[in-house]
Amino acid sequence: MSQGSALLRPVTLGDLTLPNRVVMAPTTRCRGSVPSPLHALHYARRASAGLIIAEGTLVSPQPVPFVGVPGLFSDAQVAGWRRVTDLVHSLGGRIMVQLWHAGLRPLSSTEIASAIADYRCAAANAVRAGFDGVEIAANGTYLVAQFLNPRLNRRTDAYRSPSLLLLHILDAVHSVCPRVGVRLSPYWLPTDSTPPCPAYLPSEATLSVYDDLVPPLTSLAYLHLRGPALFSPDAFSRYRKLFPGFFIANNGFSAATASDAIDSNLADAVSFARHFIANPDLVTRFALDQELSLADKAFNYAGGPEGYV
Ligand SMILES: Cc1cc2nc3c(=O)[nH]c(=O)nc-3n(C[C@H](O)[C@H](O)[C@H](O)COP(=O)(O)O)c2cc1C
């Protein structure tokens, strides 16, 4: 029996059937602001994932966090993504897209209103482009997390409640796209890097913001939780208990730890970023207990096909 056996059990995500629980996590690769045939090849080679969550994709032309990040605000981008989704679907896969806004400086209520409108428009474009749904990036250091995470505090008078911006974005996006997930990183720290340092722990003040945020998120297709750099079952079970729906865990999992997480009901599925970068056939490798290739970081954000397809 393969180490990743629980990962290979099919599961339903609303009205989608996932043939396995190996989710491809969003991974920015900076291969162009308009998705090209190279993007299509990259995702098509990973179509055996239970679900692909395509890379962080900008909802508006500004701000640009890194050069070469794709968007969903122009017709050319919709057409480029359509090539990707058609190919993934023709290979029997499922693909959603992560919607990303890097944050605004300075912040005014007019700008926040226009950012929410941009989310709505990008979600409608995602549907037009053939995606099976969208994931709102509320993790890391970007716009939504800047409101949620007290360490990044960018709240304004109109958005004093940490979760209000996310709830407004969800309303806007739900009006045009039925399948919406959210990615959260309550354990994110300024030191969120490898090697992990156990001396830095997120404050209870931060975690309690997320404790309040999660239970009302009942309309979500899934919650995608990036856990702490050092694996801790409690870190996941804290939010698993608060969220009644489909739960995807992430950060540093192997086939064995991911399978255990599913067997112990810590998550419904597990997402992998670095393993998918280096192993397009990750599901097969898990199934056959084959050795995994290691990603060469030098190609993470380098343009071109090398280290990408
Ligand atoms: C090259 C690279 C690009 C990434 N891009 C994104 C992204 O676009 N959106 C996001 O939410 N996380 C992004 N991440 C974080 C991953 O989704 C994931 O949380 C992290 O790599 C831990 O998972 P892993 O241990 O399976 O790699 C990226 C990670 C890497 C290595």
Side-chain angles (χ1 to χ4, degrees):
M1 167 144 358
S2 105
Q3 282 190 335
S5 53
L7 280 171
L8 304 177
R9 281 203 304 267
V11 64
T12 55
L13 170 62
D15 52 2
L16 272 186
T17 300
L18 315 189
N20 61 66
R21 295 154 189 254
V22 183
V23 172
M24 180 177 167
T27 37
T28 296
R29 304 301 307 279
C30 299
R31 260 47 180 200
S33 58
V34 176
S36 67
L38 201 59
H39 291 78
L41 201 54
H42 171 73
Y43 287 108
R45 299 234 302 140
R46 291 158 179 80
S48 57
L51 175 68
I52 294 173
I53 306 166
E55 65 207 84
T57 296
L58 301 176
V59 299
S60 52
Q62 292 294 332
V64 175
F66 307 107
V67 174
V69 172
L72 261 169
F73 49 83
S74 75
D75 286 343
Q77 290 163 337
V78 172
W81 279 123
R82 174 52 90 169
R83 193 192 289 118
V84 173
T85 62
D86 279 352
L87 199 52
V88 168
H89 287 145
S90 71
L91 292 166
R94 294 135 301 278
I95 180 165
M96 294 175 60
V97 61
Q98 187 185 55
L99 297 185
W100 187 13
H101 191 303
L104 300 157
R105 226 163 256 277
L107 269 183
S108 70
S109 17
T110 325
E111 283 164 315
I112 296 178
S114 99
I116 295 171
D118 290 339
Y119 271 98
R120 183 178 184 280
C121 191
N125 283 340
V127 173
R128 276 207 296 146
F131 282 107
D132 295 304
V134 301
E135 172 178 289
I136 305 301
N139 56 303
T141 55
Y142 301 105
L143 182 68
V144 182
Q146 290 167 5
F147 284 70
L148 292 176
N149 193 320
R151 284 178 206 270
L152 304 168
N153 194 351
R154 310 275 330 273
R155 287 174 217 153
T156 63
D157 283 345
Y159 283 89
R160 197 151 292 291
S161 148
S163 54
L164 196 58
L165 176 62
L166 178 59
L167 297 178
H168 283 186
I169 291 171
L170 288 176
D171 275 352
V173 165
H174 264 304
S175 69
V176 291
C177 177
R179 195 175 291 118
V180 182
V182 164
R183 188 168 213 213
L184 296 176
S185 56
Y187 301 96
W188 178 88
L189 293 170
T191 49
D192 195 356
S193 60
T194 43
C197 175
Y200 292 98
L201 295 170
S203 69
E204 268 304 310
T206 301
L207 296 180
S208 70
V209 168
Y210 291 86
D211 290 348
D212 294 340
L213 166 71
V214 167
L217 297 178
T218 48
S219 61
L220 289 187
Y222 65 75
L223 182 65
H224 188 180
L225 196 103
R226 180 174 160 144
L230 275 185
F231 174 74
S232 129
D234 291 350
F236 290 99
S237 69
R238 178 170 183 145
Y239 296 101
R240 168 69 151 168
K241 278 186 213 141
L242 293 174
F243 183 71
F246 197 93
F247 191 95
I248 306 174
N250 169 258
N251 207 0
F253 282 90
S254 64
T257 58
S259 207
D260 284 351
I262 290 165
D263 273 336
S264 57
N265 198 30
L266 217 49
D268 296 298
V270 173
S271 74
F272 300 87
R274 287 164 292 180
H275 286 327
F276 259 117
I277 290 177
N279 305 274
D281 57 344
L282 188 63
V283 178
T284 307
R285 292 202 188 200
F286 282 168
L288 301 180
D289 271 340
Q290 286 173 337
E291 205 174 317
L292 300 184
S293 301
L294 287 178
D296 180 347
K297 279 191 200 168
F299 297 111
N300 273 358
Y301 309 113
E306 204 174 348
Y308 179 57
V309 290

